Structures are given as C-alpha cells and as structure tokens.
C-alpha cells in the first residue's frame, strides 16, 4: 500500500532531518523510529552536495522502513547558488527515488517577500510543475514562509491561493512576537480547519512554543518535530517525545 500524508486519523508525528551527512541522518532516523516517529522530513538542502547521490537518498528512504517521507529542497544550504529551475529538476528526481510528499516553494520561479509569487508566468509554471510531480505519483505541499505576524485575512488568502495552484497540503509559516499574537495564530488555525477544505500545516516562528505544540490539536495534518535538538535543527520544533505526549495524552 502506497504511503501518504493525507487522510490519517491523527496528525502524523514527522521527525525532521537537517543533517549534512548521510551517517548523521541514518542515526536520527533509527532513533526516530525507536521513539515513535510516524513519518520523516528530509531537508535535502542540508546535505552536503557530495552526499546527494541516488544510492545515498534511496538508502535513507530504506532506513525509514516504509514510513512516508516529506522532502524539501529549499534555496538555502548546499542549494544557495542554484537556480529555481535546477532545484525543481532535482525535486523531480527525488520523487522518482521514493519521496512521498514534495515541497514546492510558493515563490518558486519568481521570488516574493511572502514566498507566494504573484507573477502570472511563474504561477502558470508552478501549476504545470505540480502536475508533473503528481504524474510521478507524489503528493505536493506548497510552502509560504512569511516569517512575520500575519492577520487572519491574509493567511486565508495565501492558503486559498496555494489550494488553487494544486497543492495537496497547504503550509504557511508566519510568526508571533507576543503571547497575544501566538493566541491569535491558534485562532487562525481553527479558521483554516473550518474554511479551507484541504489538509494544512500552519506554523509560526518567534514566540511559538504553544502554537507549534497545539496546532495539531486544532487542525494541522502533522507535527514537525525532532528526535533531538542539534546544530542546524529548527529550535522551535518540539521534541518527538513531547509532541507524542501532547497528541496522544492531552485530552481535548
């Protein structure tokens, strides 16, 4: 049965992997499996270029023992000097290697400060690209890293536009600098669940500990967590064991 990030009874505990070597990533995968990881997120841009071979990537997928894998190939890290076209072509290859869910940046092919391009030619190119990924049998997540507090109306606009472009999962990352803004982000999460009609992942940076942990209880389709924190990981991502306790034992 083909793995999927869609239509699960509970939000998937997705252990993120931001390692620069294959050996470190394998260790984290094994630790994640032993501690309840239900999916993995391989951030390929974190790997040194020399490790991005077919043999290595397939080895990492094999280590995941059939768990679904979410792939990012962002502009940072070892991709910093690459064009969006090159990054996009690499993602098509990763899809062939066995990825389950591929992340398409919302401003792929034309950069935008909210990571959601409004360039008509780039949008058309994105939609054709998403179709190519679907034809390879993978699911598509579109991501917009806004990285600033964003009112509900604008978050919903971004979400519905990502949906229109063909994404299976909508991902938006804003921010909160105060507890009030963090609470508002929790409210926005409930609005997305009520109105979007699509799987989504709404996250925030900054003052985000509550939102990062409780978003999955309010509608997010997964929780991006880590087995352990390390140099290069995202500090706001909760530990896997904490995310599992919140999801399974927090009774609301």
């Amino acid at each position: 049965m083909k793995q999927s990030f869609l239509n699960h009874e509970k939000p998937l505990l997705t252990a993120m992997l931001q390692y620069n070597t294959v050996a470190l990533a394998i260790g984290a995968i094994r630790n994640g499996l032993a501690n309840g990881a239900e999916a993995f997120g391989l951030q390929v841009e974190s790997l040194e270029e020399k490790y991005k071979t077919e043999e290595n990537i397939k080895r990492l997928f094999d280590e995941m023992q059939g768990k679904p894998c979410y792939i990012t190939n962002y502009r940072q890290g070892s991709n910093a000097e690459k064009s969006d076209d090159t990054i996009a072509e690499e993602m098509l290859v990763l899809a062939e290697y066995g990825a389950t869910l591929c992340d398409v940046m919302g401003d792929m092919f034309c950069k935008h400060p909210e990571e959601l391009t409004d360039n008509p030619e780039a949008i058309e190119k994105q939609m054709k690209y998403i179709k190519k990924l679907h034809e390879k049998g993978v699911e598509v997540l579109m991501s917009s890293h806004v990285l600033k507090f964003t009112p509900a109306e604008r978050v919903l606009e971004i979400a519905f536009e990502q949906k229109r472009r063909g994404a299976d999962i909508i991902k938006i990352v804003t921010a909160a600098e105060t507890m009030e803004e963090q609470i508002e982000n929790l409210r926005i999460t409930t609005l997305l669940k009520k109105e979007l009609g699509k799987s989504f992942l709404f996250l925030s940076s900054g003052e985000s500990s509550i939102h990062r942990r409780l978003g999955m209880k309010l509608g997010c389709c997964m929780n991006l967590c880590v087995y352990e924190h390390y140099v290069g990981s995202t500090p706001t991502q909760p530990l896997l064991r904490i995310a599992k306790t919140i999801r399974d034992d927090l009774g609301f």
Side-chain angles (χ1 to χ4, degrees):
M1 183 176 179
K2 182 174 174 57
Q3 294 298 325
S4 174
F5 276 84
L6 303 173
N7 303 316
H8 289 269
E9 183 179 348
K10 294 181 178 180
L12 285 177
L13 301 175
T14 303
M16 301 303 291
L17 307 168
Q18 292 177 268
Y19 295 95
N20 61 356
T21 73
V22 171
L24 288 172
I26 288 173
I29 292 167
R30 293 176 179 176
N31 283 326
L33 288 170
N35 287 272
E38 298 164 341
F40 290 94
L42 178 61
Q43 300 205 231
V44 177
E45 70 278 0
S46 296
L47 285 171
E48 293 179 24
E49 197 66 32
K50 63 182 179 181
Y51 294 114
K52 298 180 187 179
T53 65
E54 179 177 0
E55 180 182 4
N56 283 332
I57 299 298
K58 287 185 174 180
R59 169 75 187 282
L60 292 176
F61 289 153
D62 287 343
E63 288 284 344
M64 295 172 191
Q65 297 183 17
K67 303 294 185 187
C69 185
Y70 161 44
I71 291 286
T72 73
N73 201 34
Y74 295 148
R75 297 183 180 106
Q76 60 209 42
S78 55
N79 288 342
E81 302 301 320
K82 297 178 183 177
S83 69
D84 283 6
D85 287 294
T86 297
I87 289 170
E89 286 300 316
E90 289 178 351
M91 185 70 84
L92 289 171
V93 174
L94 291 166
E96 293 177 351
Y97 289 169
T100 310
L101 175 69
C102 293
D103 189 319
V104 175
M105 297 175 290
D107 64 347
M108 182 170 272
F109 308 127
C110 186
K111 290 184 180 180
H112 186 278
E114 290 186 322
E115 206 171 275
L116 187 75
T117 186
D118 53 6
N119 178 280
E121 291 79 13
I123 293 170
E124 182 179 1
K125 192 173 179 180
Q126 282 182 359
M127 294 172 76
K128 290 180 179 177
Y129 178 63
I130 289 170
K131 184 178 180 181
K132 283 184 181 180
L133 286 168
H134 281 148
E135 288 171 350
K136 291 186 178 294
V138 298
E139 296 161 355
V140 175
L141 174 151
M142 181 168 277
S143 59
S144 293
H145 293 78
V146 184
L147 301 181
K148 63 181 180 181
F149 179 73
T150 305
E153 181 181 4
R154 179 56 181 159
V155 173
L156 288 168
E157 286 177 353
I158 293 171
F160 276 100
E161 178 58 18
Q162 288 189 9
K163 179 180 177 179
R164 187 186 72 83
R165 295 182 193 182
D168 301 297
I169 298 177
I170 278 64
K171 179 183 175 184
I172 302 170
V173 185
T174 62
E177 301 304 328
T178 65
M179 182 57 71
E180 290 75 16
E181 289 179 348
Q182 187 171 193
I183 291 171
E184 175 62 6
N185 281 340
L186 291 172
R187 188 185 75 85
I188 294 170
T189 307
T190 66
L191 288 175
L192 287 166
K193 181 180 181 181
K194 179 181 178 182
E195 299 186 21
L196 185 57
K198 200 81 171 178
S199 295
F200 71 91
L201 182 57
F202 180 46
L203 304 170
S204 54
S205 59
E207 184 71 30
S208 62
S209 59
I210 295 174
H211 187 212
R212 284 270 182 170
R213 286 155 179 77
L214 294 186
M216 63 177 164
K217 302 290 284 187
L218 300 174
C220 291
C221 66
M222 68 178 103
N223 183 284
L224 304 187
C225 50
V226 289
Y227 164 71
E228 63 180 356
H229 287 118
Y230 50 91
V231 175
S233 66
T234 300
T236 51
Q237 290 172 349
L239 292 172
L240 171 59
R241 60 180 176 81
I242 292 175
K244 182 172 174 53
T245 297
I246 291 171
R247 189 195 67 178
D248 296 343
D249 299 335
L250 191 61
F252 79 88

